[in-house]
Amino acid sequence: MRKKLIYYLSALFLLFTIGAGLSIYNTYKISRDIESVINLHRVEIIRQNLIINTQTVQGNLYTTGTTFGKELDVIVENVIALEEASRNCLNCHHNKEVADRLNKIVHTVEQYEQAISQLITTTANEKRIERLKMVAIGIGDSLLSRTQEMAFLADKSLNAKTIGALKKINYSRFILLATVIFAFLIGVLIAFKLTEMITKPINELVDATRMIASGDLGYTISYNDNTEFGELARNFNAMSNALKEGYENISQQKQKLTESEWKFRTLSEFASDWEYWINEKREVVFISASCEQVSGYTQQEFIDNPDLRHEMVHPEDKNSYAVHMDSFLTAQHEEIEFRIITKTGKMKWLSHVCRPIYIEDRFLGRRVSNRDITDKKILEEQLLQSQKMESLGLMAGGVAHDFNNLLTAITGYASLLQHGLDNSDETTKRYVQQVLNAAERAQNLTGSLLAFSRKQIMKPNTIKLNEVIRNISDLLKSLIGEDIEVLITCSETESPVFADPNQIEQVVMNLVTNARDSMPAGGRIAIGTTSELLGQEFAVKYNAKPGRYMMLSISDTGSGIDKKDIPHIFEPFFTTKEKNRGTGLGLAMVYGIIKQHGGFIDIYTEKGWGTTFKIYLPASEETKGEGNEAVEVQPHVDLRGTETILVAEDEEAVRGFMEDALRGYGYKVLLAVDGSDAIKKYVENKEHIDMIILDVVMPKRNGKEVYNHIKKTNPDVRTLFMSGYTQDILTSRGIYEEGLEFISKPVEINNLMAKIKSILNS
Amino acid sequence: MIMGKATKLLIFSLVVLCLPLRAFCQDEMIIGLIPEENIFDQVKKHRPLAAYLSKKLGIKVRLTILSRYGDIIDKFESGKMDGAFFGIMTGYLAMEKLGVVPIATPVGLDGKSTVQSYIFVRKDSGIKTVKDMQDKRIAFVDSLTVTGYLFAVSYLKEQGVHNPEAYFKEHYFTGSHDSVIYSVLDNRADIGCAKDRIYKKMIEKDRSINNELTVIATSRDFPSATLCVRKSMPTQLKTKLKNVLLRMGEEAEGKEVLNKLGALNFEDAQKRNYSFVKDIIRKTGKAFRDEQEPESK
């Protein structure tokens, strides 16, 4: 292209140079011809001047001495002018013939001057003077004639030359015009061609870039030649293809990245573990949606308050947490456990796994995974408790077993001694009888220990709890006394259980005894049975198998049990009674027996309100499936909902369970920690609240009071009461009415959801 | 109007300054030329000098050629000239009668500011002595020239020719030195009397003249033509004119002018001793320009 440009431009410039050269040459020629013509005319003028001067001088000579005579100076000037004119003529001409003529004229002029000078200066007689004058005039005439002759010839030549010169001028003008026009046309053509050569590929490139800019990647141009533009076009096409390829690669990578990110997000969001990433500046750069499920706080709340994750750490664990935070910049992988207080005030245990993130050697931050291990901790505690109880049981069993042996000896020898005593030795007999009585009591104690250790010999068979209760009802009434009311409610549907009836009786007896002892001023004891189907969640909680159970509940309106004592109540020899008022083995024995039967015990107690023991015995294998439930779960019914439910429960664990369960089924949950809080929460959110679930027994205001308050403003408020106490007890305490929806604790999730659904749909 | 002292002083200064300026302020200086040679050549030769002086003096310097030597006195007397290049005789007469002031004398290319007079004949004339001249034709320049007449007359008288006019068949005055030479060359005269500088100049132009003519008598050195100016010319102008002429040779333009003039430079023309002119006049017995036109016998 460069070469082409150079060639074209060179051609253009050459053309213009030629044109200019021709123009200049012709102009030169024209000007020379004009100059020649002018010179010729100047020469003509000179010749004419010569003639005129000669005539003038001749005139001067003729008139010298006369009135018309000129002064000498004038004559001298005229003659000198004549000489100059003749020399001018000579200088102009180079033609030999003409030059010869002019030389002669010049010579004649010199002679003329000499003659005139002589004439003027000579002082002589008139004759001489006249002679001199004639000589001068003669020379002058000769000069004149020669000059005229020359002028004539020159004039002819001048005319011819003038005509010739004019012709040449015209010709030169024509050539000049033709050259200019031709040069202009060729120049325009070359310029056009050149412009096209340059603009065509450029226009194609511009169009191509426009197409690419509009999104048509890979657009190529067809221009191709051996010039730089051709190379540019080829490079452009290659670039366009590379761009398209690159874009496609990027799109693919982006797609993969998007998929990867989607996968990650999906995994992250659906992961139950709460994950977040912190950069090297300790800023949270990612936090999974599960943070809300674990902590109750949303992702946005964590983003808005970077310190939130530190603030929610349980005050008792802040020190250990701070120690962990100090190792942020280290390369160590750390796992710690600490407690947090969720947004709803619930305490949770978290397993905090913290790993550093490195790319090559560059520290980028830490990746944290928090798993809610609260259930695990509860289970661990239960396991520990169970292990403890197991250990205690083993120990108690061992002691009881050995002790029984000793007692056997003591009782045996005492009996022998009694038999060998003389009837008159009343005192000794009395003493021996005391020994036997004490041994009998000791035997009872060891029996209890053995029961606790589950070492008692069981004689199980398929029994019906209702029958067992009815069998001992009279005994119970006599055991309890008259100042305590006994209510026995047996379920109409019953599932047989595989148990030792004597041991069951023992259990009932012990629990009733404790209930009696908790009501020294009198009260009520409610004994009841129900058949229940326990789901997986319930079973996991109590480390039991899901399935059908018979639930035996014994409730009292006594003083209740201190919460701090609850973990210990099944320990052997643990008692809250006064000294000598109990052996502390009653509940241990109950625990042992029920465990031996594959059941479990649930306790509901409120200080000052009373206690309910619920004993679950698995239904017999033979008869599983019988019985009814308060609510049967129909698999095909959708128990999920979107309504807003206010849950009032003072027990934190139960409150947390209710919240998790309801949210898990899609409901929106508002929580209240006591009766007053429930009323406040309802008033604030009554437009949004579709249903309320009230724990019956709550501090400040009980569930009934809350219900009555709410009912004033919303008579149709949908309400579900729940309690660990039996309905009979609640009714007797005036804190429950017949006809209100009720569900008994512990709540089985399916039963709960079905109940809620039925209430909402009612 | 009351004039302040400063104003009066200014006016006085202007008057004082203008006086010489006024005196200096002549529009034109006319310099006369004697017809020493061909009047046209004479004018052409002196024209560059006139232009040079015009440029240097700041006033127009014009030349005027005289047809006769004698006219120069008349022209000066009539005030038609401011200066002239005077010959020996005319210069003497002008200084004596008119009080002209000599300014400068051109120094010839031979380095001399003097001239000689030649008496010459054709080689083929057979004239070698004064005796051979008898009844011949003699051409003079002018009766008011020394080199073109008075020397010849004086020489003739020394040679015993006491009546020159009668001695010769014909005598006439050509008016210029070169025309005398041409007269002899053209055989219009047998004997001629002219200035050596003109004679040599013509030989330089035409070497054949040397083959045709021969000089039979040569005079002593006489002063060459001198530029004299009227005594009434402002002194400042005279001084400036003299300075310009004397310094012409110091610059290229001046040198060129001098070259065309046929001179090396100008030298200061003191009032030369023209007493010899008196001797010559006495010897020739000629007085002032009262010469009749000579007649041939």
Side-chain angles (χ1 to χ4, degrees), chain B residues 86-103:
Chain B
F86 287 94
I88 304 160
M89 183 67 163
T90 51
Y92 167 75
L93 289 173
M95 282 184 236
E96 288 296 316
K97 194 175 177 184
L98 303 175
V100 299
V101 176
I103 298 296

Side-chain angles (χ1 to χ4, degrees), chain A residues 5 99 171 217 226 414 476 497 592 595 624 643 693 697 737 758:
Chain A
L5 270 172
Y171 178 71
L217 299 181
N226 296 329
L476 289 173
V497 297
K595 275 293 180 188
K624 275 187 183 164
E643 290 84 347
I693 299 176
V697 179
E737 287 175 14
S758 75

